[in-house]
Amino acid sequence: MFVGDLIYLLLTTSHKHLTNIMLGRWLVLTILPCLAIFLFFFFFNLHMNSPLMVVSNNAITLKNPPRRQAQFSLLIGILTRPDAYDRRHFLRLIYGIQSSPIADIDIKFVFCNLTKDDQRVLIALEILRFDDIIILNCTENMNSGKTYTYFSSLPRILSHSYDYVMKADDDVFLRLVPLAASLDPLPRIDLYYGFVIPCNSLNPFVEYMSGMGFILSWDLVEWIAESSIPANDTHGPEDKLVGKWLKMGKKAKNRFSNKPAMYDYPGTNGRCSHELIADTVAVHRLKRWDQWLAALKFFNVTKGLEPSKLYNI
Ligand SMILES: *[C@@H]1O[C@H](CO)[C@@H](O)[C@H](O)[C@H]1NC(C)=O
Ligand SMILES: *[C@@H]1O[C@H](CO)[C@@H](O)[C@H](O)[C@H]1NC(C)=O
Ligand SMILES: *[C@@H]1O[C@H](CO)[C@@H](O)[C@H](O)[C@H]1NC(C)=O
Ligand SMILES: *[C@@H]1O[C@H](CO)[C@@H](O)[C@H](O)[C@H]1NC(C)=O
């Protein structure tokens, strides 16, 4: 635009003197502000999403060994209560330090409607900071279909689907690397994965998976949302109901009970318990601090801590 103006100015001005004055003024008034604006946008763009930054990011990535691409995605919904602030804080630490190279894993805390004014402030703060909370349209403490509401709401409220969805308790310790490794070779559809009840059973096709933590493939989550079978049968022991729905709907042809990798903490639940073992996926019934600490110690969870002048642990 200003090149055109310049040519126009030169062609239409007959006196050299006049041209010089006008050109000088034009330079100051037009070119310099244009230059300033141009430079501003150039550097602003550079800062926001510049090609140079992408290049340097790539350079950093290349120094590391190539990461295996995620093979599947998993949503883990930890069903808990709004007032369990301390438990959420602790579980954020437990899961914040874990990741699997083969799975994109999202962890969310799931509960029913808030009931108190302090919750509306404190949980809003948690959401602003962590964005890891799902509040379902249901009422707490009534054994009245929270698990149903959880699965049946997901296709409607999530912005994208997952390959698998897990329901987990807030007193279970999940080890994400072995969990993902155990899912990787399994079918992505019509899958029901967990710890089969009764405790001593090894046949996942008879009863149901324990509520400590079970996984459904996304097609089954959609089925729960759409079918009248679960909708008509939401009151009762929640994990048992899921097994019943799937049986009635002739669903979950693919089942996997992960024993002995999933179990209740030693001494807490008869034949569902056994000693801690190295290849653990899930330890359940961690109700007390001494139990959590023993588990974290056994699995070397804090062994990776680097020495530092800043602390001495
Ligand atoms: C929440 O659940 C209640 C009772 O089940 C229902 O009447 C209401 O329409 C639901 N609200 C929303 C936003 O889904
Ligand atoms: C949950 O809260 C919403 C909004 O406050 C309300 O519309 C709904 O009826 C509540 N649902 C239940 C089951 O209490
Ligand atoms: C729902 O349950 C009622 C009572 O148990 C039964 O009569 C009805 O046939 C069921 N409907 C469906 C679609 O399963
Ligand atoms: C924890 O570390 C110890 C010592 O390095 C090792 O012997 C043990 O096998 C590790 N435990 C697990 C569960 O990986």
Side-chain angles (χ1 to χ4, degrees):
M1 186 196 99
F2 59 79
V3 174
D5 283 355
L6 186 60
I7 291 167
Y8 176 81
L9 212 69
L10 289 173
L11 288 177
T12 54
T13 310
S14 48
H15 305 288
K16 208 178 172 213
H17 179 65
L18 185 62
T19 306
N20 280 344
I21 291 169
M22 286 188 66
L23 196 59
R25 199 182 281 164
W26 185 81
L27 263 175
V28 172
L29 292 180
T30 311
I31 296 184
L32 291 182
C34 283
L35 193 67
I37 291 166
F38 172 77
L39 286 175
F40 171 77
F41 278 106
F42 179 77
F43 284 109
F44 182 72
N45 264 335
L46 205 67
H47 190 67
M48 295 311 284
N49 52 3
S50 91
L52 289 178
M53 297 246 308
V54 173
V55 167
S56 73
N57 271 351
N58 282 348
I60 289 165
T61 311
L62 286 175
K63 279 182 207 153
N64 295 324
R67 217 183 132 192
R68 208 184 141 193
Q69 247 211 309
Q71 305 294 301
F72 60 89
S73 59
L74 166 66
L75 171 67
I76 302 179
I78 300 173
L79 270 61
T80 182
R81 293 169 297 103
D83 281 336
Y85 298 101
D86 292 349
R87 179 51 58 100
R88 282 196 294 284
H89 168 69
F90 177 65
L91 292 178
R92 282 188 184 110
L93 298 178
I94 292 295
Y95 295 115
I97 60 170
Q98 296 189 57
S99 65
S100 164
I102 60 167
D104 285 328
I105 302 178
D106 286 341
I107 312 255
K108 304 268 186 200
F109 297 100
V110 180
F111 37 79
C112 292
N113 265 1
L114 307 185
T115 52
K116 303 175 198 161
D117 283 342
D118 62 339
Q119 291 170 347
R120 283 179 242 283
V121 177
L122 297 174
I123 288 165
L125 284 173
E126 286 185 65
I127 294 171
L128 285 168
R129 176 63 184 86
F130 299 109
D131 193 19
D132 61 357
I133 284 176
I134 296 176
I135 304 179
L136 301 171
N137 181 18
C138 55
T139 309
E140 290 293 345
N141 294 326
M142 289 183 66
N143 205 21
S144 60
K146 189 172 173 181
T147 298
Y148 171 72
T149 308
Y150 169 56
F151 284 115
S152 63
S153 302
L154 290 179
R156 188 169 39 82
I157 63 179
L158 292 177
S159 57
H160 62 89
S161 63
Y162 290 83
D163 292 304
Y164 300 114
V165 176
M166 184 171 209
K167 177 260 151 179
D169 281 342
D170 67 358
D171 62 348
V172 70
F173 173 47
L174 299 171
R175 298 176 75 226
L176 300 186
V177 166
L179 173 65
S182 69
L183 269 172
D184 194 25
L186 299 179
R188 300 283 185 256
I189 57 164
D190 212 22
L191 180 75
Y192 185 27
Y193 167 117
F195 172 93
V196 74
I197 298 292
C199 293
N200 57 357
S201 169
L202 291 176
N203 186 346
F205 290 89
V206 182
E207 287 280 338
Y208 61 95
M209 304 298 179
S210 156
M212 71 165 79
F214 63 85
I215 293 172
L216 297 172
S217 55
W218 183 257
D219 56 314
L220 293 181
V221 175
E222 288 184 316
W223 176 77
I224 290 173
E226 289 158 10
S227 168
S228 62
I229 292 173
N232 204 22
D233 193 9
T234 59
H235 290 246
E238 311 238 335
D239 43 4
K240 193 169 184 173
L241 280 178
V242 174
K244 191 175 160 198
W245 303 332
L246 295 171
K247 182 176 235 164
M248 286 175 72
K250 298 188 167 52
K251 292 287 176 179
K253 296 278 188 312
N254 305 308
R255 298 189 180 208
F256 185 70
S257 173
N258 203 355
K259 293 179 181 179
M262 300 174 76
Y263 50 100
D264 286 325
Y265 188 81
T268 60
N269 193 21
R271 300 186 69 176
C272 284
S273 291
H274 59 68
E275 290 307 304
L276 300 175
I277 56 171
D279 294 328
T280 292
V281 166
V283 191
H284 182 225
R285 290 187 182 246
L286 296 165
K287 303 274 189 209
R288 301 195 317 252
W289 278 117
D290 60 301
Q291 298 165 336
W292 271 106
L293 295 178
L296 297 180
K297 202 165 179 186
F298 181 85
F299 297 112
N300 296 325
V301 171
T302 63
K303 276 266 171 76
L305 191 69
E306 301 284 351
S308 168
K309 287 178 189 158
L310 298 179
Y311 47 73
N312 180 18
I313 291 182

